[in-house]
Amino acid sequence: MRSTSEPPTPRRAPPRTWAGLVLLLIPALLVSMDISVLFVAAPAIAEALEPDAGQWLWMMDVYGFVLAGLLVTMGGLGDRVGRRRLLLAGAALFGAASALLALATSAELFIAGRVLLGIAGATLAPSTLSLIRDMFTDPRRRGAAVGAWTIAFTGGAVAGPILGGLLLEFFWWGSVFLVNLPFMVLLVVAGPFLVPESRGQGGQGFDLVGALTSLIGVLGLVYAAKSLTEHGVEVRGGAALLVGAAFLVLFAVRQRRAAHPLIDVTLFARPAFTASVAGNTAVSFSAAGLGLLAFTFLQTVHGLSPLQAALWALPVFVGTVLGAVLAGVASSRIRPGPLMAAGLLFGAAGFAVVGFVEVGTPLSVLIGGYTVLTFGVGIVGTLANGLVLATAPPERAGAAAGVSETSTEFGAALGIAVLGTAATAVYRTAMEDGPPGAEGPAGETVAGALAAAPSAQDPGALLDAAFAAYTAGVGTAALTGAAVLAAVALLVALALRGTPPGAAGEAGDGDPGAPALDTRVLPVRDQAPRA
């Protein structure tokens, strides 16, 4: 029960604090945007750098995997050395990596630039959220600030293709990376004046061994997934799978025994927490994986310009917003288990629609299916992010936030790799029986076929075969995604069957079966100077 005496009115955040928030939203937006911006820039980059199929997949997804593998590590490092200090160093590296990408003259150099960009991005996302927690002491204003951060971080995935389409309409492909530079300069110059320094409590150590084992484990599983999907069962892929699994087991054991663990692994013993992380990963997997394929499909098979493709995709953003609004309204009346499962099934239905699209199918059918998918993503993402924090007790909310960010980025990168690799495998198999000219780059990617068509013996036959092969690849990947979301829907419904309505928005002690922590309030773990 509440005390009869009202607590003192919290001091209002000064204008400097709100200006600092706006500054911190910029890197949150750009980190997310730099995954999806390649969706529209992909054909132009492929034409300029001429990568083979293996290089192309690394170019597309290595940023997300490095980002996912280092998020928790960099969050722990920021607690030790200072979050603002890490943020500013990451901003400088992010700007340098963006310049390297814009000026890349080969696939190898582009991949190296994406690796550096992923390292830099991993310093930005957790630093911004940790700083926001400490800058706002009033729970209501902190809730508004964290909500703005969530919109920026998730909205970047939608804004990336739209901004990329606008830039590519007037400039060369490198402009989608150079646009990061002025914002990073602004962050480095204004950050020391608008954002207070913040760090963890004195004496905290940094688990370097845990950081290395987690990174090796994640990258091992990623390489295994790519290798097994592309080449089938082979020695290298099997070895990578064993190494990755072994190091993740070592990581889990290490986290249980370490004095200062990177992740509190006991959180995964809570069914609601694990189900929410799984749901978050699944929708990120589906949205990012289909996003890459869909934008390439629009620009190659249907011949749209980057700007036209971005405009056609605007309803996809509306679907996400509607799903998020519905989740917010319905979560107080409907149990999160059925509601999140319904969102996953909406996503599976959208995937199924895309799975049966053919070369001559109207674009409205593809966009309609994609919008149904993002409607489900909006429902699941809103509920999952709330429950991830609500299921954890207050003193562990920071670890829960780190896991939530990692699951989002890892799911997005995994979706690009798995669905992209599946589509590529179908394409290459179909082109083996293609017309003259279907060998070489034309048999590797649809962009290669477009480049080879002018000099082919029969350009029309080559393009028809390539478009049919790529459409079949997109269909196979979409049906794979539908099966994944349907399976996760069943698991989520079972895991959350005892969670009451409104659990993601009510106060609690972290017990999975109890009313949950108010997700609008993130605890301040240490005292930092405030504006």
Side-chain angles (χ1 to χ4, degrees), residues 40 161-162 290-291 293-299 302 304-320 346-347 349-358 361-376 474:
V40 292
I162 296 173
L290 182 59
L293 299 173
F295 276 97
T296 302
F297 182 83
L298 292 174
Q299 294 180 83
H302 284 272
L304 300 183
S305 70
L307 178 60
Q308 290 172 327
L311 293 176
W312 264 98
L314 283 176
V316 173
F317 174 74
V318 176
T320 305
F346 268 113
F351 256 138
V353 171
V354 176
F356 291 100
V357 167
E358 298 179 352
T361 303
L363 275 180
S364 57
V365 176
L366 172 69
I367 298 302
Y370 196 178
T371 303
V372 172
L373 167 66
T374 58
F375 176 73
V474 172

Side-chain angles (χ1 to χ4, degrees), residues 319-349:
T320 305
V321 173
L322 291 178
V325 171
L326 175 64
V329 172
S331 61
S332 62
R333 304 183 193 80
I334 303 175
R335 289 177 178 270
L339 191 56
M340 191 181 296
L344 288 163
L345 292 176
F346 268 113

